[in-house]
Every structure is written in structure tokens, then in C-alpha cells.
Amino acid sequence: MKEIKRIGVLTSGGDAPGMNAAVRAVARTALASGIECVGIRRGWQGLINSDFTLLNRESVGHILSRGGTILYTARSSEFMTKEGQKKAVATCKMLGIDGIVAIGGDGTFRGALALSRLGVPVVGVPATIDNDIGCTHYTIGFDTACNTAIECIDRLRDTMQSHERCSIVEVMGRNAGFLALYVGIAVGATAVLVPEKELDFQRDVVERIQESRLAGNTHFMIVVAEGVGSAVEIGKQVHEAVGIEPRVTVLGHIQRGGTPSARDRETATRMGYSAVKALAGGRSNCIIAIQGGEILEIPIEEALVMKKSLQMDRYEIMETMQFGGIASHRTSF
Ligand code: F6P
């Protein structure tokens, strides 16, 4: 087994709260194991451009509570090319990097696979607010993004309640509905629209609002995952079908910022630690995953084809919270 003397760490793709905790964990675990740690700035593009900084105990101090990533991040199209990947390998050789910890989502791990095939050992750490990585039950940033969206929606509810309006809120999630469903349950949404469930506008929106009205509600909250389509369009349809003038809010990048939650700091620290332990132990080309609370190392190739479905039992729970007991409510009048 080749001795690991120096590793690189980078963050790539969309940032996620808790990435800094992961960078800190990687650097401090490396230093504690007698391994030097180089921070690669601006993701895979930084590896191509030799954009780096040496990390020590102090340089990763006081970053646990900071959102974003101190290493910056980027989505690199050059790294998708063989030419770009070769330049990245050359940087690793030049800097004497024996392995890389890549913190990010799906795109980051596709980059990791390409680099590992060119002989650079890589370990991936899943971080994305979308929680859409198949091999792991949890990705760094999801909890904080949920909490941020919930806080925003609670505020929206105050004004919607005062004016007796309908709010249509679009949340992120790319092609997945994890964020929307978790948030929808937590805010007691009238309806939650997710890409995993084919939209029947009459059943999923119009009837929900009508039922909610019958139950005595005078304001309504519709949470729409961005993967379903534009909340503005949904708003127009609500106006036409129900006759109420909705207010549309696209939460957008607000969801990606802010102080990481306890869960994200703790998970990121465990994952960063485990990534360095894997590299130091001669294990690489894997993703650090969490399944049932346990940390696992899943080979990247396997991880990239693993699928994770939205838990439809949670969808049922969300509906039950809104509409369970409506019949008895009606008969009591
Ligand atoms: O993957 C994280 C994410 O925030 C998605 O939810 C969203 O679709 C996308 O990134 C936005 O990307 P960008 O920051 O490049 O606009």
C-alpha cells in the first residue's frame, strides 16, 4: 500500500451548508494522521488551474458555523473533457497529491470517477441540499435547507393568513421532491407537488383547496418542487380554476445559504473524518454514505447507478395531516 503523505480536498457543484464542516474535518483528520492537506479552490476547475492553498489547523478554524464553502465552488465544463482531466492529473503530480476528497453531489462524483480511472485515488463526500444521491440516505445541507425554507414559509403563512390568500411557494430540489415533501410536512401545506408524482391539477390542487375551505380554512399553502415546473404557472392555473388570486414566491438560492444546522455539522464532520480514514487506509474510489445511521464506503461506479425513491408513505402522511378527520368535522355542523 502506497503511503499517503498529502491529500487534496475540494468542494464542487452547488454549495450546501455544512461543506465547511466537512472541509475542516478532512483537514484536521489528515493533520492528526500526519498527512498534509491541500485545499483546492473552485472545485475541479481549480485542480485544472492549480488553484490551491495549504490548509492547517488554523485555516479551517471558526468555519463550522459558516454557510457556503471557504474553498469556493464551480461547475467545470473543462473537467468533462479528457484534456481537462489530464491537466488535473498533472496538477496532482506536481503538488504530490496522493488522494482527493471531493465534496459535492452527482456531478462531482462523475468527475471523481473520471479522475479515479486516470489513477488518482478519490473519495466522495455527498453534499447537496437536494438529498438526491442514491447511495446515501442523507446528504450534507439538506437539513439546513429544509429549516431555511420552513422559516420562510412560516413567515409567508402569517401574511397569507391575515389576507386570507393562497401562497404558492417554489422550493429547490432539481429533479427530486425530497426538499418539497419534507418542508410540506413541516409547514402543514395544503398541497405538495413533487416530480415523482404525476400531477393531476384537479385532484392535487383544486380539490385540496376546496376541501381545506370546507374544513374552515381561509388561507392555503401550496409547496411546489422546482422539478414540477414553474410556481408562476401553477399560480395562474389556481387563479383560473379556483378564482382566488394567489401570491407566488420562489425561494431560490436563499435555501442554499445560512448557518448549518446541528445535523449538517455533525454529519459533515463524521463524513469528512471517514473520507480521510478511507484514503489513509488504502481504500479509495468510493463515496462515504450514510445508511440507517451507519457510515459506509460505496464504490463510486456502484453509487452512481443507485437510485433513491421519494418515500411515498410520507406523502400519505402529509395528506392525512391535512385531510384526515375532515368528514367528521363536516358532520359536526
Ligand atoms: O443542486 C443544488 C441546487 O441548488 C438545485 O436545487 C438547483 O436546481 C440548482 O442547484 C441551482 O443551481 P445554480 O446554483 O447553478 O443556479
Side-chain angles (χ1 to χ4, degrees):
M1 189 182 94
K2 185 175 182 271
E3 195 195 346
I4 304 280
K5 293 192 183 128
R6 181 181 259 202
I7 61 167
V9 58
L10 59 85
T11 51
S12 162
D15 64 352
M19 276 184 161
N20 280 331
V23 170
R24 172 180 176 272
V26 168
R28 291 206 170 162
T29 309
L31 294 169
S33 318
I35 298 170
E36 281 185 327
C37 188
V38 179
I40 312 292
R41 287 188 288 235
R42 301 177 179 87
W44 296 121
Q45 192 60 43
L47 201 59
I48 291 172
N49 298 343
S50 306
D51 184 0
F52 69 95
T53 176
L54 261 186
L55 298 178
N56 55 39
R57 259 198 88 75
E58 291 68 42
S59 55
V60 294
H62 309 293
I63 61 169
L64 272 176
S65 60
R66 285 170 58 185
T69 161
I70 58 160
L71 291 178
Y72 305 97
T73 185
R75 301 187 202 275
S76 169
S77 47
E78 193 181 354
F79 193 74
M80 305 291 205
T81 66
K82 267 270 149 332
E83 212 45 49
Q85 290 161 15
K86 280 185 192 155
K87 283 188 199 165
V89 173
T91 304
C92 290
K93 283 204 178 115
M94 189 225 356
L95 294 176
I97 287 175
D98 303 311
I100 287 197
V101 177
I103 304 166
D106 218 40
T108 306
F109 300 151
R110 275 194 295 274
L113 180 63
L115 200 65
S116 70
R117 284 183 173 151
L118 295 176
V120 179
V122 189
V123 174
V125 169
T128 160
I129 66 160
D130 304 335
N131 200 21
D132 61 348
I133 306 293
C135 69
T136 183
H137 290 170
Y138 189 76
T139 61
I140 297 163
F142 179 67
D143 185 57
T144 308
C146 282
N147 287 326
T148 304
I150 289 165
E151 193 192 327
C152 294
I153 296 174
D154 286 347
R155 285 167 193 252
L156 278 172
R157 188 184 281 286
D158 290 345
T159 170
M160 291 302 130
Q161 185 266 327
S162 307
H163 286 266
E164 302 181 281
R165 280 175 172 159
C166 175
S167 187
I168 318 279
V169 190
E170 183 182 308
V171 299
M172 279 187 165
R174 203 177 287 274
N175 302 316
F178 294 100
L179 198 54
L181 185 53
Y182 274 63
V183 165
I185 290 175
V187 300
T190 314
V192 180
L193 311 184
V194 291
E196 291 84 350
K197 192 171 179 294
E198 204 188 329
L199 177 62
D200 175 335
F201 192 76
Q202 181 63 23
R203 183 197 60 206
D204 298 333
V205 182
V206 177
E207 287 174 19
R208 295 281 156 79
I209 293 175
Q210 288 166 345
E211 287 284 324
S212 183
R213 247 184 193 157
L214 283 172
N217 291 315
T218 58
H219 73 280
F220 315 96
M221 186 63 69
I222 315 287
V223 176
V224 183
E226 65 173 338
V228 169
S230 155
V232 175
E233 281 310 311
I234 302 281
K236 280 185 195 153
Q237 289 180 50
V238 166
H239 187 42
E240 277 163 29
V242 194
I244 44 179
E245 198 189 326
R247 290 291 183 267
V248 176
T249 308
V250 178
L251 293 183
H253 290 81
I254 292 273
Q255 295 158 99
R256 287 232 302 254
T259 301
S261 68
R263 182 173 187 186
D264 283 327
R265 296 182 200 198
E266 196 265 352
T267 307
T269 303
R270 280 169 72 204
M271 284 182 162
Y273 169 90
S274 305
V276 176
K277 287 290 171 189
L279 278 177
R283 302 181 305 281
S284 63
N285 309 338
C286 59
I287 308 290
I288 302 297
I290 287 199
Q291 290 179 14
E294 294 294 310
I295 296 259
L296 302 173
E297 296 166 8
I298 315 271
I300 300 180
E301 278 188 60
E302 260 177 54
L304 282 176
V305 292
M306 285 169 86
K307 296 270 173 273
K308 181 164 74 177
S309 344
L310 189 70
Q311 307 92 328
M312 291 320 274
D313 56 325
R314 285 202 164 94
Y315 200 89
E316 211 178 301
I317 291 169
M318 181 274 297
E319 290 188 320
T320 308
M321 290 307 109
Q322 281 313 102
F323 302 106
I326 278 190
S328 60
H329 181 99
R330 279 201 211 131
T331 54
S332 69
F333 280 97

